[in-house]
Amino acid sequence: MFGCLVAGRLVQTDAQQVASDKFVFNLPDCENVNHVVVFMLGTVPFPAGMGGAVYFSFPDPAVGQVWQLLGFITNDKPSAIFKISGLKAGEGGAHPFGMMTVPQAPSVAQVGVSIESLDLLAQQTPVSNSAVSTVDSFTQFTQKMLESLYNFTSSFALSQSQMTPNPSEMYVPASSILKWYENFQRRMMQNPNFWKT
């Protein structure tokens, strides 16, 4: 019914059913995992009016199992990517896994899927830093790329008196790179998708 992809390296389709409406995936080596993708296999849809709340649990021997709501999947939204690298062990809230004994090894995290009504899913609030925002990630990447280009080109900067004429070389003034950098950054702030037009 469900699948789980761990950071592009491990696909699992053998969820452990721990209750009639609850399933768990074990995530070994969770310290090195940044994102998980939870998806429906396409073989069995959710019943009408139902979806799957997706939870994450860190192994924490001091606190026990603490589940954090990541988001949800439905028949209309059959997959979702969740960022788990920013989540903290020991932080969580109410969850449907209750006091269930779901075996968990010391370095194995778990992703749980709880089948719930769509009305209930719409009322739940996932942990704030689990969602992957493509616009935000793209904006961050672009800003880092711009900074890297500017820093790289600036490292070769010479004053005019230090330059030795070389007819086969072209020189670009550092002020031109800085102006381009500032213009691009301004346009990204106004509309992160400006480059698509």
Side-chain angles (χ1 to χ4, degrees), residues 19-30:
S20 62
D21 59 349
K22 293 174 185 44
F23 302 83
V24 174
F25 292 98
N26 289 319
L27 304 179
D29 195 24
C30 63

Side-chain angles (χ1 to χ4, degrees), residues 4 8 24 35 52 56 64 96 113 115 127 142 187 189 195:
C4 183
V24 174
H35 297 82
F56 181 75
V113 179
I115 299 175
V127 289
T142 304
R187 291 180 74 188
M189 293 297 177
W195 56 274

